[in-house]
Amino acid sequence: MLNPTHRNSLPLPPPVSSPFTVQGMHRTKESGRISESVQLFRFLSSRLPKGLAGCGLKCSIGLVYLALHLTLNWGGIPVASARPLLAQVDDSPLDSEPLNSQSVDLSPEIIEGSPVLQRWLQEVPNVLEEIHNDPSFRTRVRVGYAQVTSSDDGSGVNVGVEDLFIRGTGLTVSGDYFAGSGGFSGGGAQLRYYVLPLGGYFNLAPVVGYRHIEGESYSTSGVELGGRAMLVLSRTGGADLSLGYSVVGVGGDQTVGLGTLAVGYAVTPQFRLSTDIRRHDADGDNDTRFGIAIEWMPEL
């Protein structure tokens, strides 16, 4: 018989955990994890630059790390394992000193072979401003052949320069000359001022210049006034379409209307093929000229 005085020395049975007790423990742990996650979200939000406050970027980064934190907790990984990552975020130069060759873990060969990377290391550009103001079309130097459709003899060589940019403005200089047979010739120079941002896919420009036009039964020289529309199908000279109309000889004895439609398509980064149709509307005489040319796009 057991001695009642030794009752305290006997081993006690393990406590029975009821489902309610286990569920309560899990809820307590989950509440603690969520509380830590919310604190982490607030911590990450405070680390972002003040200029991003309230922006979608701040919320997105915070939610990503909130999800990471919850995943680490429920996956059995201690939160302390993620703290080195938080330290990197804390020390990241989002709004501190600019990048330099020492802060970028790249070999000197890679940096020397990338002009874009060298530029970013010198100064971080305003990408949005460049998208708006960096021209979506390029300067073209053209040499080609043209044929006047109304005459078998009206053929010749056509040379010209299109849209030579005056840096920092929407103003361009253009010029062309056609030396043909059968009495057809002409040439001129134009100033075009593009009124919309140069980086767009569509632009308009008033045109002013001086031109000489000579046909079988007409000849005129004088001031040229008109307009031009440019549709960019592929940026930086890849493909574009232009439509223009002007009047030559404004204020003179004879005026000639000049309509142009031109299409260009790049075959290499520096060269492209182009075609153009020109319509001359003189008093009682109309001519149409069709041309094809090779265009060189220099790096200016």
Side-chain angles (χ1 to χ4, degrees):
M1 178 179 295
L2 296 175
N3 189 344
T5 60
H6 297 281
R7 181 170 52 187
N8 294 334
S9 62
L10 294 177
L12 296 177
V16 178
S17 299
S18 67
F20 301 99
T21 305
V22 175
Q23 185 176 4
M25 294 173 60
H26 279 288
R27 285 182 177 176
T28 302
K29 292 181 179 180
E30 292 173 2
S31 300
R33 289 167 178 170
I34 293 176
S35 177
E36 292 179 359
S37 302
V38 172
Q39 294 177 5
L40 176 61
F41 172 75
R42 292 175 179 172
F43 166 78
L44 291 169
S45 299
S46 66
R47 294 296 144 186
L48 290 174
K50 294 181 180 179
L52 297 178
C55 297
L57 176 61
K58 179 176 180 179
C59 297
S60 299
I61 296 177
L63 290 175
V64 167
Y65 279 98
L66 177 60
L68 174 63
H69 182 71
L70 294 175
T71 303
L72 292 173
N73 273 284
W74 267 275
I77 302 175
V79 179
S81 301
R83 284 179 181 166
L85 181 59
L86 301 182
Q88 295 179 15
V89 175
D90 188 20
D91 297 334
S92 62
L94 288 175
D95 54 350
S96 57
E97 70 278 356
L99 293 177
N100 52 59
S101 57
Q102 287 75 26
S103 63
V104 178
D105 187 16
L106 292 175
S107 63
E109 292 78 10
I110 296 178
I111 297 177
E112 292 176 0
S114 175
V116 175
L117 183 56
Q118 294 174 15
R119 179 187 173 197
W120 276 69
L121 290 175
Q122 293 176 359
E123 181 182 1
V124 177
N126 189 331
V127 179
L128 183 60
E129 182 180 354
E130 289 193 357
I131 291 174
H132 281 87
N133 298 321
D134 189 41
S136 57
F137 53 96
R138 296 170 59 181
T139 300
R140 289 94 62 201
V141 179
R142 181 178 65 247
V143 177
Y145 171 85
Q147 172 71 50
V148 179
T149 59
S150 61
S151 174
D152 295 336
D153 297 330
S155 61
V157 177
N158 183 26
V159 296
V161 177
E162 293 285 333
D163 292 318
L164 180 61
F165 289 92
I166 298 178
R167 188 175 299 275
T169 69
L171 189 65
T172 68
V173 179
S174 301
D176 64 271
Y177 182 76
F178 171 67
S181 58
F184 293 94
S185 64
Q190 293 180 338
L191 289 176
R192 304 168 183 169
Y193 184 77
Y194 290 94
V195 298
L196 300 178
L198 293 177
Y201 286 91
F202 177 76
N203 221 317
L204 296 171
V207 174
V208 59
Y210 185 88
R211 182 169 298 277
H212 170 75
I213 297 179
E214 186 171 347
E216 286 183 324
S217 59
Y218 60 88
S219 176
T220 187
S221 299
V223 176
E224 178 182 12
L225 297 176
R228 176 183 176 88
M230 170 76 77
L231 178 62
V232 178
L233 305 177
S234 179
R235 292 177 59 87
T236 64
D240 54 53
L241 182 149
S242 63
L243 178 65
Y245 186 82
S246 60
V247 178
V248 181
V250 177
D253 295 335
Q254 185 180 23
T255 60
V256 176
L258 175 61
T260 60
L261 173 64
V263 179
Y265 183 83
V267 293
T268 72
Q270 282 77 38
F271 292 94
R272 64 183 217 163
L273 296 176
S274 70
T275 61
D276 70 286
I277 299 175
R278 295 199 174 199
R279 174 78 174 179
H280 297 172
D281 295 323
D283 295 336
D285 198 355
N286 300 320
D287 291 320
T288 300
R289 193 181 81 191
F290 174 79
I292 185 169
I294 296 177
E295 294 181 338
W296 171 51
M297 297 180 291
E299 295 287 347
L300 299 177

